[in-house]
Every structure is written in C-alpha cells, then in structure tokens.
Amino acid sequence: GPASLRALSLVLSVAAIAVLFVVVRDLSGTTPALWAALLMALAGPQIQYAQEARNYSLLLLEGLGAAATLVRIEKYGPSRPRAATLIVCVLAMALTHYFSIGAIAALAVYAAVRLRGPSLRRVAGCFILAAALWCVVGAPLAVRHWRNRDDPRATSFLRDDRPGHAARTLLRVAALPVRFIAEPMTTSRGVAAAGGVVFVLALLLALRRRDLLLWSIWLWLTVLPLAALDLCRRTQHLEFVRYTLLASPALYAIAATLLSDRRERWIRHLPPLLVALACALALPAAYSAWWKSDWRALAGEIDRHARPGDVVVFWGYDKGGDFAGDPNASFYYTSYYRRRPLGPIVLMDQPPDDALARQLSEFAGVLVVAPPGQSFDEIARGSPRRRLASEPPAAALWRIDAPTPP
C-alpha cells in the first residue's frame, strides 16, 4: 500500500535531517545545527519528496553522509572506518543519480582546499577508488543511457525550444534558493532577484568564513552543471526542483550559520527564524500534492461507474513521448488506487481492427479512460457517449453505451 511503499523515502529524509545536523554542528556549532535541521524539516521540497517513492531522499542522505565523513576526517584525521564510509557514500551518490556529479566535485574541491599531507592523500585515494568501482558497476548502464539520451519518450518534457531560453535558464537558476524554501514558486523576476542574492552571498561568505566554504562550493557546483546542460542542450532541468534538490542542504546551512559569528545573540537567530517562518507559512502547499495528477480521484470514479458486463478501455496516443498519453501509464496509475476488481481491460494505443471492434460491441457498455482533449472516435464511431469524470491533467472517464457493430 501507499504507506509501506513510501515509508523508505520518509525514513531516509528524516535521517538526512539528522546527518545535516551533524555536519553543521561539526563546522559551526550546535545552535546553527539545530536551526539547519529545523529548516530542512520544514522546507516544502523536502516534505514533497519524502512522500514519493523515488530516489531523491536517498541521494540527500548519501551526499550529506559523504560531507559528514569528510568533515570528520578534516577534524579528527583519517581512519579505516571513515575512509570506507566516504567511499561507500560517494559511490552510492554516483549510482543513485548522475546529477550528483556536482556535489561530488564540491566535496573533492573542499578536500583539496582544506586537507594536507596524509589526510589529503587518503581522501584522494577514496575518490579514485569510488570512481574505479563506479566504472565497473555503473558505467555499463551509463553507456546505455547515453545512447538513449535523445529518446523523445525520455526527454520530451525537458525540451525548451522557445525563444528566450537563455534568459529563462538564468531566471530558473536565480530562483532556486527561494524554491528550496517554499515550493511551488514561479520563476518571476522578483523571486529570482531574491534568490540570486543568496548565490552571491554564499561566495562572499566563503571567502571570509571557512565554516561556510563547503556549503558555498556545494551550492554552486550542484547547480552550475545543470545550468550548463540546459543552456547547451536547450532543456529545462532547472524547472524541476528535484534535479537540484541535492543543493538544498547548503542553503539551509548557510541561512542557519549566516550571522552565527555576531556578538548580539538575537541577531544570530534572525536569518534562520525568518526562513523558518516562510517555510511554515508555505506548509499547506507542501502537502497538497499540487505537483501530481490526481490519479486517486480518477480511480475512485472508475470504481464508482464500472458496471458488471462493462469493458474498460485505456486509450491514448503516445507519439511524442508524452507519458500522460500512454495507456499503460493511466492503467498502472489508477490500478494503484482502485479498490474494486475490474472486468475485461483493453490497453489501446491505436484504432481497433475489425475483430477487436466486434468484440467491444458485444459488451453492455464501454468505459474509456483517455487523456483530456484526445479524440477516441475510432473506438466506436457513431455510438452515444457521455463524460462521467475529468481529472486534468490525468485523464477523463467516458462511457460508450451499446457500441454500434462495424
């Protein structure tokens, strides 16, 4: 069921919050660490992806685990357990998502700047060994993915060929820090201006305070490769916050630590307090599932309207790589939520031939699940039909009564 399926992401997300606390505590102290953990717990994107059976919470935990280990090596020196943990975390990051390459690079740059002597050599060996293991375990799959990089089924939703692509990409980059706090958030110029300040501030602080160096490099190097990818390939990865979610802990750490070196106690707490209030005000949106089609409601409508003797047709053309138009997608998504067994089912991505049309005409009625706005006249031409439910952008449910035999 939904609870067991999504429980792993929930557990990993909570564990990532705890590991962020450890890293910030080791770098800046307990009070900033508590603020950083609170901000990560309240941030909208963290809540969203803690509800999803996807790999982004896992990636956060692996990345923060690598950061915690590297900081421990900096403070206390290398050891076999720390070296093994660093290798496992870096390798796991690379195997979990290709877009972890920026955060891995940030860890390597931080190690090169902060470590010396045996510690640096040991950490460099850990990165080299992790890379070698990835070449054995992950490279074969990466080669297959590279060959399919232009498959429209996998990339159509990422294309952005309209005029003004470069300007939109820059706005998306600048808006990311605000989106890490409260999502949904448009890429408006005002939001982008506020977020852009964070990138500049992170660089300036890194030059002055060594406890913020890791977070500044982490924020920049996690986002910049995706920005370059979007600019070079005219894509819009930055439009989807999940691809840059790994950069978000850096923002929480920077906000929590921003004024932690000030003498006035109340000023130290002001930046994280304001960010926490913004997160709290945006909490309803984090739980509203606005970012997903409401397949649960559509499944309920199918349960309500399906009658004995009906056949259910999941219909759709998937010519342009639009998964919303894939009958397999609408079948699987509604199957997850349906509570009543259905009778005969047809998955159809092209008009029926004469034999299938004759079979459909023998049923008392035909329920059709089709993407909104997509014609399905080919299923039963001339037969009366009525729309029973519509859940955009998921699909609409129609009934065709007594189809006319061909």
Side-chain angles (χ1 to χ4, degrees), residues 61-341:
L61 179 59
E62 294 163 350
L64 289 170
T69 306
L70 184 58
V71 171
R72 285 297 178 97
I73 291 174
E74 178 189 358
K75 289 189 67 173
Y76 306 112
S79 66
R80 288 184 178 179
R82 291 180 189 131
T85 303
L86 183 60
I87 293 170
V88 169
C89 287
V90 172
L91 175 62
M93 291 171 69
L95 292 174
T96 299
H97 208 295
Y98 298 125
F99 292 165
S100 65
I101 186 65
I104 294 174
L107 293 170
V109 170
Y110 181 79
V113 172
R114 297 291 304 151
L115 302 181
R116 295 289 184 273
S119 295
L120 179 58
R121 289 192 294 271
R122 183 75 68 87
V123 168
C126 291
F127 278 95
I128 293 171
L129 182 56
L133 291 172
W134 182 87
C135 289
V136 174
V137 180
L141 183 60
V143 170
R144 289 171 54 193
H145 287 168
W146 177 258
R147 291 171 179 168
N148 297 329
R149 65 190 182 278
D150 293 321
D151 185 345
R153 289 178 58 88
T155 61
S156 62
F157 73 102
L158 291 171
R159 302 303 303 174
D160 183 8
D161 294 322
R162 294 172 295 139
H165 171 261
R168 284 193 301 276
T169 299
L170 295 178
L171 284 173
R172 289 168 184 147
V173 170
L176 278 174
V178 179
R179 297 181 68 194
F180 290 152
I181 296 169
E183 178 78 349
M185 181 61 69
T186 61
T187 54
S188 66
R189 295 184 182 275
V191 171
V197 170
V198 175
F199 283 103
V200 176
L201 192 62
L203 277 181
L204 295 177
L205 288 171
L207 297 175
R208 190 173 65 89
R209 293 177 52 180
R210 65 181 187 180
D211 63 327
L212 289 176
L213 177 62
L214 172 62
W215 304 121
S216 178
I217 301 173
W218 185 289
L219 180 65
W220 274 92
L221 291 188
T222 305
V223 173
L224 283 182
L226 281 176
L229 179 65
D230 280 355
L231 289 171
C232 293
R233 291 178 55 82
R234 299 189 67 82
T235 53
Q236 54 179 353
H237 290 87
L238 294 171
E239 183 71 18
F240 303 93
V241 75
R242 63 180 180 265
Y243 293 131
T244 54
L245 191 65
L246 187 56
S248 60
L251 174 70
Y252 311 138
I254 290 171
T257 316
L258 185 61
L259 299 179
S260 61
D261 59 342
R262 298 296 297 269
R263 291 184 178 181
E264 302 86 348
R265 188 181 298 268
W266 68 271
I267 292 182
R268 301 177 192 173
H269 301 294
L270 187 58
L273 176 61
L274 293 176
V275 175
L277 288 175
C279 293
L281 291 173
L283 275 179
Y287 288 98
S288 66
W290 60 268
W291 69 98
K292 297 174 69 176
S293 301
D294 197 350
W295 295 103
R296 184 193 298 272
L298 183 63
E301 294 294 337
I302 295 174
D303 283 342
R304 189 159 68 92
H305 290 286
R307 302 171 184 170
D310 284 345
V311 60
V312 182
V313 175
F314 292 88
W315 162 260
Y317 282 119
D318 188 27
K319 294 182 177 179
D322 180 10
F323 285 103
D326 187 342
N328 293 284
S330 58
F331 170 68
Y332 285 123
Y333 295 160
T334 55
S335 296
Y336 182 74
Y337 294 112
R338 288 198 310 268
R339 295 294 179 261
R340 294 174 52 192

